[in-house]
Amino acid sequence: MSGAEVTDLSAGGPRPAAVGLDPDELRTLLLSRIHDVPDYPRPGVVFKDITPLLADPAAFGALTDALAALCRTYRADKVVGLEARGFILAAPVAVRAGVGFVPVRKAGKLPGATLRQAYDLEYGTAEIELHADALRPGDRVLVIDDVLATGGTAEASLHLIRRAGAEVAGVAVLLELGFLDGRQRLQASLDGAPLEALTTV
């Protein structure tokens, strides 16, 4: 892993480069492996399918390297992966960075004592949970997910982390859908913590 600082053109801050790739090369590689699926899951929606990226070891490795570098940059002790594709990204990042992995799941999916957080959807509400003992006071936690859309799940996860007594080190996503204004929704809840998007459309 290179220790050199490079400019993050998506979010405006510095970050270490993935091995052998500058930020533009990384962005180009990742976007080339994310496929558009029109009219899924309903007519008029263009779904961003990351499964081709996951199937490509070079692209998945570069993504894992970049996210693990953010763990080091922001001195994370734990990574939180958001259900469900956030699990796929966050688990190898935790291994690569040498930190713990904590899943945040839909309500009712975790055994034992949990903390639960409700959040608003376009129509109705949803709830997410984490184990009550998964985080300790003083832990620095980086939240990882595949896509930042409206920001509701990420915002709820930040509340859960702080309720557990831990500190939000930041939020990192593979892809930000800029037209949905999730970044604006998260600003207050981030409370100065960074939001990093490796790619933005």
Side-chain angles (χ1 to χ4, degrees):
M1 186 71 60
S2 168
E5 293 287 327
V6 296
T7 301
D8 169 20
L9 300 179
S10 299
R15 78 155 142 271
V19 174
L21 295 177
D22 67 33
D24 289 333
E25 290 171 330
L26 176 64
R27 190 173 299 110
T28 298
L29 173 62
L30 297 178
L31 286 174
S32 74
R33 302 299 190 271
I34 300 171
H35 292 182
D36 286 348
V37 181
D39 298 320
Y40 181 85
R42 60 181 182 272
V45 174
V46 179
F47 183 78
K48 299 295 184 180
D49 181 14
I50 70 165
T51 57
L53 188 160
L54 302 176
D56 181 327
F60 195 10
L63 171 60
T64 302
D65 285 343
L67 293 172
L70 291 177
C71 285
R72 298 184 189 98
T73 296
Y74 297 118
R75 298 177 289 107
D77 304 302
K78 302 267 178 68
V79 294
V80 155
L82 303 184
E83 189 167 348
R85 288 180 298 271
F87 296 172
I88 300 170
L89 305 188
V93 168
V95 173
R96 187 74 52 88
V99 300
F101 167 74
V102 176
V104 165
R105 301 210 62 185
K106 295 175 183 176
K109 298 290 187 179
L110 291 173
T114 62
L115 298 175
R116 181 176 292 195
Q117 183 72 41
Y119 62 100
D120 292 331
L121 301 171
E122 186 176 0
Y123 301 105
T125 61
E127 293 180 312
I128 56 173
E129 293 180 325
L130 63 73
H131 276 127
D133 61 355
L135 301 174
R136 297 175 299 187
D139 279 344
R140 289 180 54 80
V141 182
L142 181 69
V143 176
I144 293 178
D145 204 6
D146 64 327
V147 174
L148 175 64
T150 61
T153 309
E155 182 180 42
S157 74
L158 301 182
H159 292 305
L160 277 178
I161 289 164
R162 292 191 176 109
R163 284 174 57 199
E167 180 182 349
V168 175
V171 175
V173 297
L174 163 60
L175 177 66
E176 178 181 355
L177 304 181
F179 56 91
L180 291 179
D181 296 326
R183 182 177 290 269
Q184 286 70 26
R185 176 175 180 168
L186 281 181
Q187 285 307 310
S189 297
L190 284 166
D191 192 26
L195 168 58
E196 298 275 7
L198 298 182
T199 60
T200 303
V201 295

